[in-house]
Amino acid sequence: MPKPKQFNLLMVRDDGSRVLRLSVPGWAVGVVVGGLAVTILGLAFIYPDYVSLRHQRGTFAALSERLHLQQGLLDASQSRLREIRGEIASWRGLHAKIWEPFGPEAGPAKRGTGIGGKTGEQPDRAPVKEEMDRLLGIVREEGESIRTLERFLGRASRVLGSLPSRWPVRGPVNSDFGQRRSPWAPNSEFHSGIDIGAPVGTPVKAPAPGVVIFAGQHAEYGVTLVIDHGNDTKSLYGHLSRLNVAMEHAVKRGDTVALTGNTGRSSGPHLHYEIQVKGQPVNPHSYIWEEPSAAVAKSAR
């Protein structure tokens, strides 16, 4: 039977004397060499994966930073979308206020879809593109509402332009429209206009364009002027001292049509100003858009 191969490991000092001799069986050397070979081959296969993983780790870090930045931009976009939704909601409230005086039939048809979208949905969690599409649709609806209002006001502009919307004279309102204590009796009476205090000879300006339909003496108001503004709307000026216009005279807004006075049944210089719609007196304050320049002082005349 052949003797197993052995490998001898001899350790010698610098002076040549032997220190240690180690015998290693051949199979053990084979195992060590084989193990080293397997390890080297394993590293050769693993190293590319290691390099790839390191590269992927760097890419992941860059992507994480980029994702964080995009999340910040998304949060900012959601905040701006909330602002836009609030602004659009205020448009609808403004439209409702504008249309309210003209009645429900005049405005555009009511829309049922709210700005927030479907019931139960959280608008801030909706995809940005979906939310932008929804807002675009709402803006288009509001734009159509504005265009409808523009067309309506275009048709109504002539009527609005003919309304007596300015003060005929500037001064304190000494007696307002409605029930008041009579200057001539202890009981109360209905006052069909407003009395504006003004010295005799103060110019009276036409508050709107129209045609003179009365210019002369009146039993109660003395020298009186009446202007027809169209659309069943007339204005009356009483207690005048002089008329600057005559019957069927066309006047423009701002024309001086008369001078204030103290004629007729009057307790002092002032202008009795009255607006009539379909023959009935109405409160002139409902038509005057300008603010009075003088303080309002109510005291019965």
Side-chain angles (χ1 to χ4, degrees), residues 61-77:
L63 288 175
S64 296
E65 183 178 356
R66 188 174 177 181
L67 180 62
H68 181 73
L69 178 61
Q70 291 180 346
Q71 183 63 45
L73 294 174
L74 181 61
D75 292 342
S77 299

Side-chain angles (χ1 to χ4, degrees), residues 23-53:
S23 296
V24 180
W27 63 268
V29 174
V31 169
V32 172
V33 172
L36 288 174
V38 171
T39 301
I40 292 172
L41 288 174
L43 290 175
F45 282 107
I46 293 173
Y47 182 74
D49 292 337
Y50 170 74
V51 172
S52 176
L53 287 174

Side-chain angles (χ1 to χ4, degrees), residues 149-228:
L149 178 61
E150 180 187 21
R151 291 191 294 268
F152 179 82
L153 292 180
R155 294 191 300 267
S157 60
R158 286 175 294 180
V159 176
L160 294 175
S162 67
L163 294 177
S165 58
R166 295 184 180 178
W167 289 87
V169 296
R170 297 287 185 169
V173 177
N174 297 321
S175 184
D176 224 326
F177 176 85
Q179 290 295 131
R180 69 172 183 176
R181 187 176 61 183
S182 173
W184 320 106
N187 56 329
S188 65
E189 65 177 7
F190 178 75
H191 189 220
S192 58
I194 58 176
D195 290 345
I196 306 173
V200 174
T202 302
V204 178
K205 306 287 187 179
V211 177
V212 176
I213 60 171
F214 182 84
Q217 287 289 334
H218 187 279
E220 182 176 357
Y221 299 130
V223 179
T224 303
L225 176 70
V226 179
I227 300 175
D228 187 349

Side-chain angles (χ1 to χ4, degrees), residues 166-174 194-207 237-238 240 255-261 269-273 288 290-294:
R166 295 184 180 178
W167 289 87
V169 296
R170 297 287 185 169
V173 177
N174 297 321
I194 58 176
D195 290 345
I196 306 173
V200 174
T202 302
V204 178
K205 306 287 187 179
Y237 313 83
L240 303 172
D255 286 351
T256 299
V257 294
L259 300 179
T260 59
H270 71 280
L271 173 70
H272 174 83
Y273 178 54
I288 298 174
E290 299 176 314
E291 291 294 329
S293 58

